[in-house]
Amino acid sequence: MVFANSRGHDFVSGPNLDILGILYILVCALWSILFLAACGLLYYYRNLPFIRIRDTTLVLSSLMMIHVYLCIILLVYPVNGQFSCSLEFWIMSIYLPFGIALFQAQNMQLLSLSCRQKQFMYNQKELTYRNRGRLQLCNITGMRQKWSEMTLTHRTYVGVAIGVVVQFVLTTALYLGSRRFHASFGTFGQTVGSAQCRIGAEWIPSAFWQMIWTFGFGPFLLFKIRKIQDVHRWNLQTTLCILSGLLGSPMWLATLYSPGLAGLGKYWPPPMWFAPGLMVMEFVTLYFPLMEAFQNKGFQQSTLAAIEDWERKRTNIGGVDSLESESTARNSTVADSTLSKKKNDMYSMQALEKALELNAAELLKFAAMKEFTGENIVFLTQVRDFKSSWDRSIKKGTLDSDMKRHLYNIAYDIFAKNVSLQTSQFPVNIEGKIYFALETMFPQVPGSPKSENIATPFNDDVQLVESESWSGKFGGKVRPRYFETTSEEHIVDRSSERPIPQSFDEHVFDRAEASVKYMVFTNTWVRFVDSQETRSVTSSVGGKSAMSASSFLSWAKK
């Protein structure tokens, strides 16, 4: 058997089952097996926080679309013209552009999520879905309102839908009007053979649509995400996906219309130029989240083991100071030991609780900007302030019916903004039993109270109490402590129609708080401490801004 038929891909001589043709088939089969296995794993791990934020349904749908096209082009040489020109025209004009557009929409998730998470850093932003009634989309005002409330990802959906409709209308007109695809009717073009059918002005709109998403939308998205530095390598993944797609369309057109590449086209058909880019897209889109999922298992196990060892040492030695001395001595001889580093005080639950209690600004910034889990820190700080207010009311003897109503309204706001799947844009990830218990405690009622500040919902009825020691020692913006009631007379019953359950007390969020705090402790907090230590070392070497990171570490250890 010869490696490749001398006639190659000529559209007329029948299937090419030479060695090259069989190789194409094997690559298609093996790659499909690996692809489907990876998709299954991604679906299996879909509930992990760093995978859940990626919208697994959109990711898998876009990947399936481009994989079907990848299989088609890998089989172009073996089937050798068995695909009709009409079918290829519809695939290249509708299916491929739509698949690329849908994939670019899932790439947009990074920018969309990053922009929305940034809102946690600004008090004036609101991240709950507001009940505006039915929007009147039949007028310009209603359409503008709806558009302004959409995320960047949903706006991309709209753009894709509009583009597909326009492209479908144009493709239908070209198909029905051209005699290249059917000899019995048409108003322009000539009846030609299979090879010449694939070359003509009718294919220009297909190339134009691909260019828009590849060379227009892609570089625009690269520019917008250039400053995002996330811990999930999502920026790198998106960059590789966009860059890998730049080769296909130009080389497809060059192979079709350049006589010098005609010989190459016999064994590497023009559509095959899309294959390398599509394979890179599939690989990196699945590899990065799955790699993080596998690493996360070992990461959590080593972290928990180090924490348990820290607690055991702390108990046996009899105090943090003696433990710190022992750890310092040990680290002086084994400075690069990850396990030893995790035994210092910064990796304890006490350090996390101290950061949340006194000032959560740096932790919130890290969680929102790098891990995209700012909602966890916001929830923990709001629950902290809710409990503090309850305790103060008891101590002052002001926990009467009006104050309890006020506290219930505040708790309802916390649930609506951070927990409810119906009203929160970023609901915290808690167990089903805990969620349903809270949903029973805070039933959805039209016209429920809503604060105008997501990071500081208590500002409606409170004054801010700044942490002077933090601001004076570290500079920069202070994360205030919330919920110091200015006066009991200021309390207003905003929702008298909603009864307060008898079981409502200061412990209403305890189980949810424990669940979220554990997640923060074993993921966000450890990454955050590592990043602070890295910044401290880097800044010290560079001689610039060493104080902020190193000062934070020394402060939290006290």
Side-chain angles (χ1 to χ4, degrees), residues 60-112:
L60 292 179
S61 299
S62 61
L63 286 177
M64 286 295 179
M65 286 201 69
I66 65 174
H67 184 74
V68 169
Y69 179 74
L70 175 63
C71 290
I72 292 175
I73 60 179
L74 285 172
L75 297 177
V76 165
Y77 178 84
V79 300
N80 192 20
Q82 299 303 307
F83 290 122
S84 68
C85 180
S86 297
L87 177 61
E88 185 172 339
F89 177 74
W90 282 100
I91 290 175
M92 296 299 295
S93 298
I94 299 296
Y95 186 85
L96 177 60
F98 179 65
I100 294 176
L102 195 62
F103 190 81
Q104 295 286 30
Q106 73 92 20
N107 283 336
M108 175 59 83
Q109 288 188 105
L110 171 61
L111 179 61
S112 177

Side-chain angles (χ1 to χ4, degrees), residues 259-420:
L261 295 176
L264 178 62
K266 287 185 177 182
Y267 305 102
W268 184 272
M272 275 294 297
W273 287 105
F274 290 102
L278 296 180
M279 295 177 81
V280 171
M281 291 180 190
E282 293 180 358
F283 175 77
V284 299
T285 303
L286 294 169
Y287 171 75
F288 282 104
L290 289 179
M291 178 186 66
E292 187 173 9
F294 294 140
Q295 289 178 342
N296 186 65
K297 283 186 175 181
F299 175 77
Q300 285 195 342
Q301 290 174 357
S302 62
T303 299
L304 291 175
I307 291 170
E308 290 176 0
D309 185 68
W310 183 93
E311 294 290 349
R312 180 177 56 81
K313 291 285 186 181
R314 183 173 183 271
T315 302
N316 293 339
I317 295 175
V320 174
D321 293 336
S322 58
L323 172 64
E324 192 170 332
S325 299
E326 182 190 76
S327 177
T328 302
R330 182 171 53 255
N331 287 340
S332 64
T333 57
V334 191
D336 296 328
S337 173
T338 302
L339 185 60
S340 295
K341 184 177 70 173
K342 283 182 168 56
K343 290 178 182 177
N344 70 52
D345 293 351
M346 282 299 296
Y347 290 86
S348 67
M349 179 65 80
Q350 290 87 341
L352 169 60
E353 291 176 343
K354 185 175 182 180
L356 291 171
E357 174 64 25
L358 296 182
N359 197 300
E362 288 294 326
L363 183 57
L364 173 61
K365 182 178 180 180
F366 176 85
M369 305 298 290
K370 294 184 178 294
E371 204 181 41
F372 308 131
T373 57
E375 67 275 6
N376 292 334
I377 309 304
V378 170
F379 174 73
L380 292 176
T381 55
Q382 290 179 3
V383 171
R384 171 204 67 192
D385 295 337
F386 165 75
K387 288 183 175 180
S388 297
S389 178
W390 189 290
D391 292 340
R392 280 193 302 275
S393 298
I394 293 177
K395 291 178 181 179
K396 294 179 181 180
T398 59
L399 191 58
D400 53 17
S401 59
D402 286 339
M403 174 58 82
K404 196 167 185 179
R405 165 62 62 186
H406 177 69
L407 292 171
Y408 182 76
N409 289 340
I410 292 296
Y412 195 101
D413 271 357
I414 295 175
F415 174 79
K417 288 179 172 64
N418 302 285
V419 182
S420 174

